[in-house]
Amino acid sequence: MEYMYNELLKTSGLSVTQQRLSILNALSNFNQPATIEQLAQTIDIHINTSTIYRSLRVLVDAGIVYQTDFRDGVSYFEFQEDHHHHVVCTSCGKQERIDVCIGTHVPKIEKSTGYTITNHMLEFFGLCKNCS
Amino acid sequence: MEYMYNELLKTSGLSVTQQRLSILNALSNFNQPATIEQLAQTIDIHINTSTIYRSLRVLVDAGIVYQTDFRDGVSYFEFQEDHHHHVVCTSCGKQERIDVCIGTHVPKIEKSTGYTITNHMLEFFGLCKNCS
DNA sequence: TATATATTTGCGAAATATTTGCAAGTTATT
DNA sequence: AATAACTTGCAAATATTTCGCAAATATATA
């Protein structure tokens, strides 16, 4: 497991540090997007908050971690490989997973813009059954 | 023009206030997502910043305004009806428009989740040609 | 049209997430 | 083994966004 993350970092050209390994390990304990605060509570060693922020940015930019936003003022993070999207109720905040895939658009966009796309962000907002 | 926004608010069941009309009017001067700060500079009357935040939230929740996030710490706003998505370079920050439509997925998601979807957020991230 | 009710605004202050600079510590390279 | 490159911890700063409350404005009712 640890070894896996080790390879993951190296393959992306990133330095392998204990902090990054621990962050990845903590991420694997969530099956939904986690906030920085939630991650900090789960990480097995003490890591300074700034470091968590900096590490996550690097991991997101490398396409290893998925970052998203539910319009509640905090960033959420999830493993890229099993990331998924949500509908969020703008009234009560309730979230529900959906299995909409947007990945098929990526090659087309890369071709038309010349960008190398490492990740994306997709969330739907509206009113849930109760709040409607 | 003013009258149009008037109707727009009423149709959504929102109160018509001078502040909201001015915000909508300011929004129409941008053809790309604008920050709160950019909007404040463009609005023709003085509106307190808190009010801009509150008004935009209401307008977004009503599906009139599109809100998005480029991972730079600020929220961006655009008219919902002519909103579009982007690729953002995670190195230099450069943005480019794309014309990917996600609207077709909405009815399917509404059916499967029971939510009434008013808007969504979609942005792609990666490296631009220069930064690759 | 006048009155009552509901909603919105302004103001200042507070909360809170996130970023920065720099020295020390770690990791990668030669 | 030594040098260079990168990452981390710490504390403080930055900046966006939210909150409470009284006054103002908008909508609904009579």
Side-chain angles (χ1 to χ4, degrees):
Chain A
M1 200 65 144
E2 287 279 296
Y3 180 69
M4 200 182 89
Y5 299 144
N6 206 303
E7 285 304 304
L8 190 59
L9 291 169
K10 276 189 183 157
T11 307
S12 302
L14 303 177
S15 299
V16 177
T17 69
Q18 192 53 53
Q19 287 85 343
R20 288 176 182 174
L21 291 175
S22 292
I23 289 172
L24 290 174
N25 197 52
L27 264 180
S28 73
N29 290 325
F30 290 88
N31 58 351
Q32 54 183 292
T35 63
I36 298 267
E37 199 187 352
Q38 291 174 321
L39 284 172
Q41 291 174 346
T42 314
I43 293 170
D44 50 3
I45 58 175
H46 172 74
I47 306 181
N48 188 275
T49 309
S50 309
T51 303
I52 304 182
Y53 275 99
R54 281 186 287 221
S55 299
L56 282 171
R57 161 157 308 171
V58 168
L59 294 169
V60 168
D61 288 353
I64 295 172
V65 170
Y66 171 63
Q67 175 178 355
T68 193
D69 182 291
F70 295 135
R71 294 184 181 156
D72 61 355
V74 210
S75 294
Y76 287 83
F77 302 89
E78 192 170 28
F79 258 112
Q80 174 74 16
E81 62 178 39
D82 44 51
H83 86 266
H84 39 256
H85 308 293
H86 303 79
V87 280
V88 183
C89 179
T90 55
S91 175
C92 70
K94 198 173 79 175
Q95 301 174 12
E96 212 159 293
R97 278 196 207 185
I98 53 179
D99 57 342
V100 166
C101 179
I102 196 75
T104 50
H105 291 277
V106 170
K108 196 175 57 186
I109 299 171
E110 288 187 320
K111 196 165 262 173
S112 72
T113 60
Y115 278 59
T116 308
I117 294 176
T118 49
N119 57 71
H120 59 268
M121 178 192 289
L122 170 64
E123 305 294 345
F124 292 85
F125 298 87
L127 291 174
C128 73
K129 249 178 225 158
N130 286 344
C131 296
S132 281
Chain B
M1 200 64 143
E2 286 279 297
Y3 180 69
M4 199 182 90
Y5 300 144
N6 207 303
E7 285 303 305
L8 190 58
L9 291 169
K10 277 190 182 159
T11 307
S12 302
L14 302 177
S15 300
V16 178
T17 68
Q18 192 52 54
Q19 287 85 344
R20 289 178 180 171
L21 291 174
S22 291
I23 289 172
L24 290 173
N25 196 53
L27 264 180
S28 74
N29 289 327
F30 290 87
N31 58 350
Q32 53 182 290
T35 63
I36 297 267
E37 199 187 352
Q38 291 174 321
L39 283 172
Q41 291 174 347
T42 315
I43 293 172
D44 50 5
I45 59 175
H46 171 74
I47 306 183
N48 187 275
T49 309
S50 309
T51 302
I52 304 182
Y53 276 97
R54 283 185 288 218
S55 299
L56 283 171
R57 159 152 315 167
V58 168
L59 294 169
V60 168
D61 288 353
I64 295 171
V65 169
Y66 171 64
Q67 175 177 357
T68 194
D69 182 292
F70 296 135
R71 294 184 182 156
D72 61 355
V74 211
S75 294
Y76 287 82
F77 301 89
E78 192 171 28
F79 258 113
Q80 173 75 16
E81 63 177 39
D82 43 52
H83 86 267
H84 40 257
H85 308 293
H86 303 79
V87 281
V88 183
C89 180
T90 55
S91 175
C92 70
K94 198 173 79 176
Q95 300 173 11
E96 211 160 293
R97 277 196 207 186
I98 54 179
D99 57 344
V100 167
C101 177
I102 197 73
T104 51
H105 291 277
V106 170
K108 195 175 57 186
I109 299 171
E110 288 188 320
K111 198 165 262 175
S112 73
T113 61
Y115 278 60
T116 308
I117 294 176
T118 48
N119 58 72
H120 59 268
M121 179 192 287
L122 170 64
E123 304 295 344
F124 292 85
F125 298 87
L127 292 174
C128 72
K129 250 178 223 158
N130 287 344
C131 296
S132 282

